[in-house]
């Protein structure tokens, strides 16, 4: 291994450590607790080292969002591939999405609530975000209904899931009705 390859590997490892530490801190204490000073202390590197990887917190949030998008896409695909039939796939998708949002609130915030400097719904949208949407579209496109654009249907269904995730997390919805909400969403929106 050349010196340059070793340095590139070490740089990538430091970057992963920064992102993992930011994510852990955000999950434990919220995004307000994530500062470059605290990250530098936790990973035992100087703040200039952090700034050599990320220009600031916004880029760190973006990196967490990209990582989270890849994880969510994998979780959705795993759940939907194990489900039977279109209705089963849509129900599995909905449950998996809501479970991901509940288990990873800081990552979910990085993806959909905070400014991570990432463009959404554009040509230059990063691939992990496009792939996460694609994971939803794969199951939802088949139940959009006649004359309904699959991408548009996916956006509406996704917006419904996002609303449920956000309202549930804020304590605005009764937790004991979560399963009924998923069933209602699947039964009323998906043409199966």
């Amino acid at each position: 291994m050349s010196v340059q390859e070793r340095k590139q590997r070490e740089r990538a490892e430091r970057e992963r450590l920064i992102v993992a530490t930011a994510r852990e801190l955000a999950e434990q204490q919220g995004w307000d607790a994530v500062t470059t000073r605290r990250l530098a202390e936790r990973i035992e590197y100087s703040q200039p080292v952090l700034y050599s990887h990320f220009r600031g917190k916004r880029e760190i949030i973006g990196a967490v969002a990209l990582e989270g998008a890849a994880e969510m896409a994998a979780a959705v695909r795993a759940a939907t591939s194990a489900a039977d039939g279109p209705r089963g796939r849509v129900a599995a998708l909905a449950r998996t999405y809501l479970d991901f949002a509940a288990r990873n609130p800081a990552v979910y915030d990085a993806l959909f609530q905070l400014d991570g400097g990432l463009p959404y719904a554009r040509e230059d949208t990063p691939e992990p975000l496009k792939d996460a949407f694609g994971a939803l579209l794969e199951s939802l496109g088949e139940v959009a209904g006649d004359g309904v654009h699959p991408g548009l249907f996916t956006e509406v269904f996704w917006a419904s899931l996002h609303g449920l995730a956000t309202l549930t997390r804020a304590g605005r919805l009764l937790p004991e009705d979560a399963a009924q909400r998923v069933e209602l969403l699947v039964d009323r929106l998906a043409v199966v």
Side-chain angles (χ1 to χ4, degrees), residues 143-172:
V143 298
D146 293 336
V148 178
H149 187 278
L152 183 62
F153 178 78
T154 299
E155 290 174 347
V156 170
F157 199 93
W158 170 33
S160 299
L161 289 173
H162 176 69
L164 288 174
T166 303
L167 291 169
T168 299
R169 187 163 146 210
R172 304 294 197 270

Side-chain angles (χ1 to χ4, degrees), residues 83-159:
D84 290 329
R87 187 186 189 293
R89 283 188 288 280
V90 173
L93 178 150
R95 286 189 301 271
T96 300
Y97 182 97
L98 294 171
D99 183 57
F100 181 88
R103 285 185 299 105
N104 305 283
V107 172
Y108 193 82
D109 285 349
L111 271 164
F112 303 120
Q113 306 286 76
L114 301 173
D115 179 10
L118 302 172
Y120 285 77
R122 296 186 350 204
E123 281 298 315
D124 60 340
T125 298
E127 201 53 46
L129 298 178
K130 288 180 180 178
D131 188 52
F133 184 79
L136 301 177
L137 181 62
E138 289 164 15
S139 292
L140 294 171
E142 68 180 326
V143 298
D146 293 336
V148 178
H149 187 278
L152 183 62
F153 178 78
T154 299
E155 290 174 347
V156 170
F157 199 93
W158 170 33

Side-chain angles (χ1 to χ4, degrees), residues 11-33:
R11 180 173 176 75
E13 287 172 10
R14 271 194 314 271
E15 196 164 295
R16 279 191 297 275
L17 178 61
I18 293 166
V19 172
T21 304
R23 182 175 174 169
E24 179 184 319
L25 186 57
E27 292 291 0
Q28 291 171 352
Q29 300 176 32
W31 279 104
D32 287 342

Side-chain angles (χ1 to χ4, degrees), residues 56-74:
K57 183 176 176 176
R58 182 177 186 222
E59 284 189 5
I60 294 170
I61 290 170
V64 169
L66 293 176
E67 187 176 271
E71 291 172 11
M72 186 171 65

Side-chain angles (χ1 to χ4, degrees), residues 38-77:
R38 288 182 96 184
L39 286 174
E41 289 171 3
R42 281 200 174 200
I43 64 172
E44 298 177 347
Y45 283 104
S46 67
Q47 284 182 291
V49 169
L50 251 70
Y51 286 118
S52 74
H53 291 274
F54 299 99
R55 286 182 287 203
K57 183 176 176 176
R58 182 177 186 222
E59 284 189 5
I60 294 170
I61 290 170
V64 169
L66 293 176
E67 187 176 271
E71 291 172 11
M72 186 171 65
V76 165
R77 284 190 175 106

